[in-house]
Amino acid sequence: MPPRIAVMPTLAPPGYSRLGIVSGWLLAGLYLAHAGLTTTLARTDRMLPLREELRGWHYLAGTLLLVAAVVRLFAWLRERPAPPEGLPASAFAWGRALAMVALLLMVAAPLIGLFYAWSDGLEVRLGGLVIPAPVGRDRALWQATGYFHSGLGFMLVVLNLATLLTAAVTSLRFRHGLLSAFPPGHGAFAFFGVSSSVYAFATFRAPEPGPVAVAVFWAIVAGWAALAWAVHRGRPVVPRSRTVSPVARALAGAGALALLLFGAWGPYGMFRVTPFSPPAEVEAVDGVEWHAAPALATLEVAPADAFEAAVEAETFKWCRFCHNMQPGGAQHKVGPNLYNIMGQRAGTVPGFGYSAAMRRARAEGLVWTDETVAAYVADPQRFMPGTSMVISSGPIPDPRVQAAVVNILKRETAPRP
Ligand code: HEC
């Protein structure tokens, strides 16, 4: 019998089942679709209807990923692959450990995601079908699941980078790279994942640098592949031991788990968010989590202009990412609800657990004015060392942008009749 996948031996190393190959590649494709959706979703203003639509697609993609991952796991248990010729057994075990951990994440993610949405009071629909919520709105649950929801993203980034770096080494040394050093589809999964991370990191402030950054990344990968090909051209394959020792397997598993833990630390490391908040000290009356009464008799808001509209789209959307700004059923997010914030003493929104730094600022009498808000967003850590606020798009050094942010903030948080 001829070898099953003789045409392109690289699409799947030997020993994998047809179901494993198909579900592995399906997983990579779905992951690409999902990554595109979530990157767009996070960059779409919460006020736009498009966001709701993207949210629906995000649930659908997550569900399909879960199904594909379960099928892939099922196939995995029945496969007995051996390292492809020339790849050391330890590298093979490491590649499998990375792929397995990614698979387990694909199974865990939808569960965490569901509870994250439900605890925020959001409806989860699949097509026309509403999935009944077993829990109501719950800030503590929302914060914990929210932490791990964003932690999942970090874990995947770390795993994908590890996969790419592994491929960079194994392709040069052993002629097996993204396609053949890993279980079927996993190299593509990581390649798609890193591509979307490159795009995401390049577009925190504005969308323009995204495609350029991705093109540079692809060029590097293609250049590397060409180099590996040139290095191995015409050279015989070095035979190596093909049995994976239990020690190698255990070490690979432990290494992959260590990467997971590192990824789980990510949301705190990058955005200072935590899975639980300090207890709220300003009591919220009947769940009113905003300043019920305005502090200022008049609030001067300048009319919007084109510059302000650009700031709103590029910078202010991140403020909304962490802050609700309207009364009525709008609970705190990562940051407090900012309704009626202008003229208020800092750190006094009911029901929010502030950092020690913000509580100190409150005790010292800090009041939110045009100037103090501008100074805070100019560089939160410099203005208030130890504050738990991180602006996702980075500090805002430009006074014109600061002024626009303050003006939008005033409009968005102004008292409503
Ligand atoms: C990653 C989440 C995040 C982003 C993005 C963010 N904030 Fe915050 N914000 C917080 C957190 C958390 C706090 C509470 C800080 C503390 O306790 O030290 C806070 C506090 C504040 C406060 C003080 C509230 C009070 O009750 O005293 C203001 C004003 C504020 N943010 C404005 C903004 C503006 C304007 C932007 C956009 C430029 C922004 N924030 C972006 C998380 C965020």
Side-chain angles (χ1 to χ4, degrees), residues 271 273 315-316 318-319 321-323 334-336 338 341 345-349 352-355 357-358 368 373 376-377 384 386-392 396 405 409:
F271 295 122
V273 289
T315 307
F316 200 82
W318 295 111
C319 313
F321 194 78
C322 289
H323 293 287
V334 171
L338 295 179
I341 192 69
R345 196 148 176 175
T348 52
V349 180
F352 187 81
Y354 289 97
S355 66
M358 186 67 87
W368 293 121
V373 171
Y376 188 37
V377 299
M384 191 185 289
T387 179
S388 52
M389 169 159 131
V390 171
I391 302 175
S392 319
I396 304 174
V405 164
L409 181 71

Side-chain angles (χ1 to χ4, degrees), residues 1-44:
M1 200 176 85
R4 202 149 11 132
I5 323 264
V7 197
M8 278 205 73
T10 44
L11 264 192
Y16 286 96
S17 65
R18 189 159 302 196
L19 187 63
I21 297 172
V22 171
S23 55
W25 277 92
L26 186 65
L27 208 62
L30 286 170
Y31 180 57
L32 176 63
H34 181 267
L37 273 171
T38 48
T39 313
T40 321
L41 185 61
R43 278 156 187 69
T44 305

Side-chain angles (χ1 to χ4, degrees), residues 300-346:
E300 276 167 41
V301 182
D305 56 14
F307 180 74
E308 191 185 291
V311 171
E312 176 153 15
E314 287 171 13
T315 307
F316 200 82
K317 68 174 176 206
W318 295 111
C319 313
R320 283 207 199 98
F321 194 78
C322 289
H323 293 287
N324 269 317
M325 304 190 182
Q326 70 281 10
Q331 64 175 351
H332 300 316
K333 299 190 79 79
V334 171
N337 185 323
L338 295 179
Y339 180 61
N340 270 338
I341 192 69
M342 297 311 289
Q344 305 284 355
R345 196 148 176 175

Side-chain angles (χ1 to χ4, degrees), residues 93-364:
W94 173 236
R96 281 178 60 78
L98 289 174
M100 173 49 90
V101 170
L103 264 184
L104 295 178
L105 283 185
M106 292 297 113
V107 176
L111 288 176
I112 294 179
L114 277 177
F115 280 91
Y116 177 46
W118 284 328
S119 59
D120 199 15
L122 294 174
E123 201 171 63
V124 177
R125 284 170 182 278
L126 278 184
L129 189 79
V130 177
I131 305 184
V135 291
R137 207 152 72 169
D138 177 334
R139 181 163 159 80
L141 182 64
W142 175 79
Q143 184 152 0
T145 49
Y147 185 90
F148 289 104
H149 184 263
S150 99
L152 282 167
F154 278 93
M155 293 181 209
L156 282 164
V157 169
V158 173
L159 283 177
N160 290 338
L161 281 175
T163 299
L164 231 68
L165 288 177
T166 303
V169 174
T170 56
S171 61
L172 275 194
R173 292 202 55 193
F174 313 117
R175 115 193 288 175
H176 288 286
L178 277 179
L179 289 173
S180 59
F182 303 94
H186 181 68
F189 182 97
F191 175 72
F192 294 154
V194 176
S195 301
S196 79
S197 305
V198 165
Y199 181 85
F201 278 106
T203 53
F204 257 122
R205 282 163 203 272
E208 287 78 26
V212 182
V214 172
V216 169
F217 168 65
W218 286 352
I220 294 173
V221 173
W224 198 278
L227 179 68
W229 177 78
V231 164
H232 291 287
R233 202 162 72 118
R235 281 215 237 151
V237 177
V238 184
R240 294 173 200 276
S241 157
R242 304 185 72 174
T243 38
V244 182
S245 74
V247 177
R249 197 169 290 157
L251 280 178
L257 285 179
L259 290 182
L260 270 198
L261 287 181
F262 178 61
W265 168 84
Y268 176 75
M270 195 149 160
F271 295 122
R272 287 286 168 272
V273 289
T274 46
F276 41 82
S277 32
E281 341 87 79
V282 182
E283 210 176 309
V285 188
D286 291 340
V288 173
E289 299 182 343
W290 52 84
H291 283 297
L296 303 175
T298 52
L299 192 67
E300 276 167 41
V301 182
D305 56 14
F307 180 74
E308 191 185 291
V311 171
E312 176 153 15
E314 287 171 13
T315 307
F316 200 82
K317 68 174 176 206
W318 295 111
C319 313
R320 283 207 199 98
F321 194 78
C322 289
H323 293 287
N324 269 317
M325 304 190 182
Q326 70 281 10
Q331 64 175 351
H332 300 316
K333 299 190 79 79
V334 171
N337 185 323
L338 295 179
Y339 180 61
N340 270 338
I341 192 69
M342 297 311 289
Q344 305 284 355
R345 196 148 176 175
T348 52
V349 180
F352 187 81
Y354 289 97
S355 66
M358 186 67 87
R359 282 181 269 146
R360 210 174 310 121
R362 170 179 59 203
E364 287 166 3

